[in-house]
Amino acid sequence: MSRTDIRQLIEIALLATVAYLLDVFTQPLSFGWISYSFKMVPILILSYRWGTKAGLLGGFIWGLLQVVTGQASGGWLNFTQGFLEYFVAFTLIGLAGLVKPQVDKARKNKSTVKLLSFALLGTLLGTTSRYIIHFIAGVIFWGSYAPAGQSAIYYSFTVNGLSWLGETIACVLVIWLLQPFLYKFLETN
């Protein structure tokens, strides 16, 4: 195993742990039904640094940490739902790494606008992928909690859609604020 592989694995473990700690110890800023949380940013940065595989593994570890520490216990109805929402959904945040080649090219060419544009596109890919799974689980498993007369689809769309919106806005804002440091953060040499 090369030094780069070991470094990558250490970063995966560390950034997954940072995402977990942000999830546990920070309170989302809430306005009405929308809560703003930036807890996915470590997995997004991991995905831009090392690519899709590393991001997927980091998201999986974050979901695993939620399960083994009991953080997932209140949101675990059965095995299938728990697997979808804590393993599949969190893993899919790593799809942000699909834009790594474009991020690397923009970084190499010192094009800040392109770097931010592709990082924000990756953020949309990662957050949307995660919340599609939450939406599906919401329809199938949580739909019975919808208010009387409201369809499970509408209920899941509003609850999960507002969560997606708030978390995506927060992550986009943090990535934008980190812009002066992105060149250094994304360097793997």
Side-chain angles (χ1 to χ4, degrees):
M1 189 177 290
S2 73
R3 287 176 61 103
T4 303
D5 292 339
I6 293 169
R7 181 177 169 196
Q8 182 182 21
L9 290 172
I10 290 169
E11 286 186 31
I12 290 167
L14 284 174
L15 289 170
T17 303
V18 169
Y20 169 75
L21 292 172
L22 285 172
D23 199 6
V24 172
F25 294 111
T26 62
Q27 292 298 315
L29 180 63
S30 296
F31 294 105
W33 282 51
I34 301 177
S35 66
Y36 299 90
S37 173
F38 56 92
K39 59 194 174 198
M40 286 188 272
V41 169
I43 304 302
L44 297 170
I45 299 259
L46 176 66
S47 301
Y48 306 143
R49 275 181 65 81
W50 295 104
T52 306
K53 285 182 192 176
L56 293 170
L57 182 56
F60 177 82
I61 291 170
W62 178 20
L64 180 65
L65 286 170
Q66 293 228 342
V67 172
V68 299
T69 61
Q71 286 296 115
S73 61
W76 191 284
L77 297 174
N78 60 49
F79 178 79
T80 306
Q81 174 271 334
F83 182 79
L84 278 174
E85 293 206 84
Y86 289 97
F87 294 109
V88 177
F90 282 79
T91 299
L92 290 180
I93 299 166
L95 290 179
L98 291 172
V99 301
K100 181 187 174 7
Q102 293 83 5
V103 166
D104 286 346
K105 185 176 178 185
R107 192 173 53 80
K108 181 180 174 189
N109 295 334
K110 304 252 187 255
S111 175
T112 302
V113 171
K114 285 186 179 180
L115 175 63
L116 276 176
S117 298
F118 285 112
L120 298 179
L121 176 61
T123 299
L124 286 173
L125 278 169
T127 61
T128 302
S129 299
R130 175 186 173 191
Y131 278 100
I132 286 172
I133 299 302
H134 288 307
F135 168 75
I136 292 167
V139 171
I140 296 170
F141 301 104
W142 297 98
S144 61
Y145 295 92
Q150 192 176 83
S151 75
I153 292 172
Y154 181 76
Y155 177 70
S156 183
F157 181 76
T158 54
V159 170
N160 289 301
L162 290 173
S163 293
W164 168 84
L165 180 64
E167 291 204 21
T168 300
I169 289 170
C171 288
V172 164
L173 181 61
V174 170
I175 296 288
W176 182 74
L177 290 171
L178 290 174
Q179 177 268 319
F181 310 102
L182 281 180
Y183 287 99
K184 187 69 175 159
F185 283 165
L186 301 179
E187 187 178 312
T188 57
N189 296 331

